[in-house]
Amino acid sequence: MKGFAVMASGRGSNFQALIDAMKEGTLPACCLRLITDNPSAYAIERAEKAGIPVTVLDYASYPDRSAYEQALLREMRATGADLFVLAGYMRILDREIVEAFPRRILNIHPALLPSFPGLHAQRQALEHGVRVSGCSVHLVDSGTDTGPIILQRCVRVEQDDTEESLADRILEEEHRILPEAVRLFMEGRLNVQGRRVRIR
Ligand code: GAR
C-alpha cells in the first residue's frame, strides 16, 4: 500500500478526516507520519490516538528559517512517503523543498483559488463581499497557493456570516475533498497537464 505523510500546525481536523477515511476504508493508503512545526498542535494527539508516528520540529528552536527548512527536508525524505499532505500547515515551504518533491505535495486551502490565497482566506472572502466561497485542494508549486487545482467545493456566503461561521461551513467541505484528493493521487488517477489536472 502506498504511503503519505501529513504536515499540520494546529487543530488537525483535516488530518482527522484522513484518519477517519482510512479507518472507513474509503482511503486505501497508509499515513506514515505526522510532521508538525508546533509542539502544542492538537494534531499530535490525533496522531498518537491513531498510532501514527510523529515528528515535532519546533520552529522556535531553530536559529533561522533556513536551519528549520533543512531539518524539515531531511525529515520529509526520511519518511519515504509518496505524497506529502499539507493539512493546516501554516508555513510557506521554501523552493528547495518544493523542488525536491515535484507534484508530490498537496495543500488544502479554505477559499476558491485563485481568489484569496495566503492567510485568513475566509476573512478575505467576507471583506471582499463574495456570495460564494469554498475550498480547494491543489498541488504545491513555488508560489503561495498557486499550484494546479485538483478539487474544489463551493459554499454560500450568508449575509450574517462571521469569519467563524463561514470557516465552519467551508471546513465541512474540506473534510470531504481532502481525503478524496489524496485517494485520487494514491490511485495514480491525476494527470497533470500544465495548470490543468485531469482525473482519470
Ligand atoms: C483549514 O481551514 C485549512 O484549510 C487552513 O487552515 C485550517 C486548518 O484546520 N489552511 C490554510 O489556511 C493554509 N493556508 P485544521 O487544522 O482543523 O485542519
Side-chain angles (χ1 to χ4, degrees):
M1 199 186 290
K2 286 189 165 188
F4 64 93
V6 170
M7 292 157 64
S9 300
R11 178 179 57 182
S13 71
N14 277 292
F15 175 40
Q16 188 66 50
L18 295 171
I19 294 170
D20 294 345
M22 286 187 293
K23 274 199 195 129
E24 288 160 10
T26 53
L27 177 55
C30 173
C31 182
L32 299 169
R33 183 166 292 274
L34 168 73
I35 302 176
T36 181
D37 57 328
N38 173 10
S40 49
Y42 186 63
I44 296 172
E45 284 180 44
R46 297 183 192 270
E48 285 168 353
K49 218 167 162 190
I52 296 167
V54 179
T55 298
V56 180
L57 300 176
D58 183 359
Y59 188 84
S61 72
Y62 291 88
D64 53 31
R65 176 165 179 214
S66 156
Y68 167 79
E69 295 281 340
Q70 287 306 315
L72 178 59
L73 181 55
R74 272 196 304 278
E75 284 301 324
M76 289 174 75
R77 286 210 165 103
T79 62
D82 301 289
L83 171 71
F84 297 90
V85 181
L86 309 187
Y89 179 72
M90 302 311 260
R91 293 185 189 281
I92 292 171
L93 293 175
D94 78 7
R95 183 178 285 271
E96 193 184 348
I97 292 186
V98 174
E99 286 174 359
F101 307 101
R103 294 178 179 169
R104 285 172 53 202
I105 308 175
L106 187 154
N107 181 45
I108 177 94
H109 183 75
L112 292 177
L113 292 170
S115 292
F116 315 129
L119 291 177
H120 310 300
Q122 302 93 336
R123 190 188 305 165
Q124 293 184 57
L126 280 180
E127 284 174 356
H128 198 89
V130 292
R131 296 291 190 190
V132 288
S133 189
C135 50
S136 309
V137 180
H138 66 94
L139 292 165
V140 173
D141 65 10
S142 56
T144 302
D145 301 321
T146 52
I149 292 164
I150 299 170
L151 293 176
Q152 291 185 305
R153 260 318 153 72
C154 301
V155 307
R156 284 168 60 121
V157 179
E158 305 292 351
Q159 312 253 66
D160 56 355
D161 259 331
T162 61
E163 197 177 336
E164 290 69 33
S165 64
L166 179 59
D168 287 348
R169 197 171 317 115
I170 292 174
L171 200 61
E172 281 183 35
E173 298 301 331
E174 294 185 38
H175 295 166
R176 296 194 175 105
I177 63 170
L178 185 60
E180 171 71 8
V182 173
R183 183 172 67 80
L184 292 170
F185 182 100
M186 288 298 178
E187 291 175 348
R189 290 172 59 194
L190 301 179
N191 179 9
V192 186
Q193 298 172 358
R195 283 212 51 84
R196 298 184 73 183
V197 178
R198 294 190 182 278
I199 299 173
R200 288 188 280 246

